[in-house]
Amino acid sequence: MPTTPDQKLWTRTRQAVHAEVARTAMELFLSRGFEATTIDDIAAAAGISRRSFFRYFGTKEDIVLGDLAAQGELIRKELEARPADEDAWTALLNALRDAPRLGQDDATMLKISKMLYETPSLRARSIEKHLQWQALLTPEIRRRLGVAPDDEDDLRADAIVACMLACLDIAGEAWTRSNGSRSLEELVLSAVAAVRPSAPDPRRS
Amino acid sequence: MPTTPDQKLWTRTRQAVHAEVARTAMELFLSRGFEATTIDDIAAAAGISRRSFFRYFGTKEDIVLGDLAAQGELIRKELEARPADEDAWTALLNALRDAPRLGQDDATMLKISKMLYETPSLRARSIEKHLQWQALLTPEIRRRLGVAPDDEDDLRADAIVACMLACLDIAGEAWTRSNGSRSLEELVLSAVAAVRPSAPDPRRS
DNA sequence: TGACTGATTGACACTCAGTGCCAGACAGGC
DNA sequence: GCCTGTCTGGCACTGAGTGTCAATCAGTCA
């Protein structure tokens, strides 16, 4: 019956509780707001003790943003798998486009996204996660550009990754402002087009 | 005797106390670390009550980053004053270069900078400030590009400003890693060069 | 000089996030 | 049945940040 076959019972129950707490908490957040929901509320609703909550989530923000860390890893994997003849920008764009999405359907994502832009502490944490993505993706872009991993003087890879993520960010913000009516991918492309050096023979794939 | 001529005594003492508390707090931060310094420590060292501290600074982070908000306004002013025939990138670069610096000498700035990159809560707040800069500078770049201020569809200005600030950020990080040995301006230029679309006849001024 | 106004102050109590510690419950291997 | 390692709830604690209130003090007007 278990989705993930034979694992220690501990591991399975732990994952189940984790998911259940996250689900309960997100319901509370979306109904009464992130800041108005206390950890005690969540723990009570999920039927665990306050102390145990902190054994599953380091902070309240992690409930909302926990997936982002994993998502970064998925993007890195996707980026590594891009063909070697794609330039840095194209590879990044394709990796972002093709990386499997974690999380909910679009309608829920929009609600979460709105909450994120309205809540300073969430916004701050989400940008911290973007910094983690940057640290994750930069080595791969360095490799692609033929820059040594420890070359402190060459900022080209860092700049490209940072700008790509900045474009992703403003595109996400625009997507949220448009209530999800516009295509995120097109928004990202239009943002990148404004800064990307005249594309050197881009592959259309 | 007062530096700022005739103002209400209240205003003058308030500014004096503000500056004194900030100075005292920065000393504590630099000697024993940001997180290891509590608000009670600061209040005690500055000779005011804990409650009064929060009447001068909303958060502990504001002591370190309070200047950044004002700095953003200075950059915006500088940007507005750039000649109309400079393209967006050049105008931004020159505004960042010429805006008057608030804050300490380079050695202290380096210490603060190191502390900033080592302390997650400070890092998060500083990026929030960068977002404020972005909101501040984008309208001016929109104007320069001839984009209507309320045009939600055109992300070009947003993208350029966001990428410029991203470049400033990674340059600042590289500057800090190099212990201030490299020129921040050159680092910014080299980062921007990696992403800026082939400069349309850049003015060298 | 004295009364009034308004901003500032310290003290106290409070909420909430997050951590350390400890004793008990419980699954799994022997 | 015993031992081991993990998870759990409860309790106490720190530290940030807020609301409230009475006392203080600069500035003003009479």
Side-chain angles (χ1 to χ4, degrees), chain A residues 10 14 17 47-52 55-56:
Chain A
W10 280 336
R14 197 169 209 300
V17 173
I48 61 172
S49 76
R50 176 192 154 68
R51 192 63 187 86
S52 282
R55 293 192 177 103
Y56 286 96

Side-chain angles (χ1 to χ4, degrees), chain A residues 41-145:
Chain A
D41 295 337
I42 300 167
I48 61 172
S49 76
R50 176 192 154 68
R51 192 63 187 86
S52 282
F53 170 86
F54 282 111
R55 293 192 177 103
Y56 286 96
F57 299 93
T59 68
K60 200 165 72 163
E61 287 79 18
D62 281 351
I63 305 174
V64 184
L65 303 173
D67 288 346
L68 282 188
Q71 182 84 42
E73 187 54 37
L74 292 177
I75 296 172
R76 195 191 59 78
K77 277 214 179 70
E78 201 72 27
L79 180 61
E80 270 185 353
R82 299 305 312 174
D85 62 346
E86 283 182 351
D87 69 290
W89 292 91
T90 310
L92 276 167
L93 276 171
N94 289 337
L96 285 171
R97 173 167 49 82
D98 294 344
R101 297 270 180 279
L102 293 175
Q104 336 291 324
D105 54 301
D106 263 23
T108 322
M109 278 302 286
L110 182 62
K111 281 187 192 166
I112 296 175
S113 204
K114 289 222 179 244
M115 184 171 73
L116 200 146
Y117 287 112
E118 285 163 4
T119 316
S121 68
L122 272 178
R123 185 87 170 107
R125 289 268 181 176
S126 79
I127 303 175
E128 277 187 280
K129 298 285 181 184
H130 260 205
L131 290 179
Q132 291 176 14
W133 288 17
Q134 180 161 340
L136 228 48
L137 302 181
T138 301
E140 175 62 19
I141 297 299
R142 289 190 107 104
R143 202 180 57 74
R144 238 163 231 277
L145 295 182

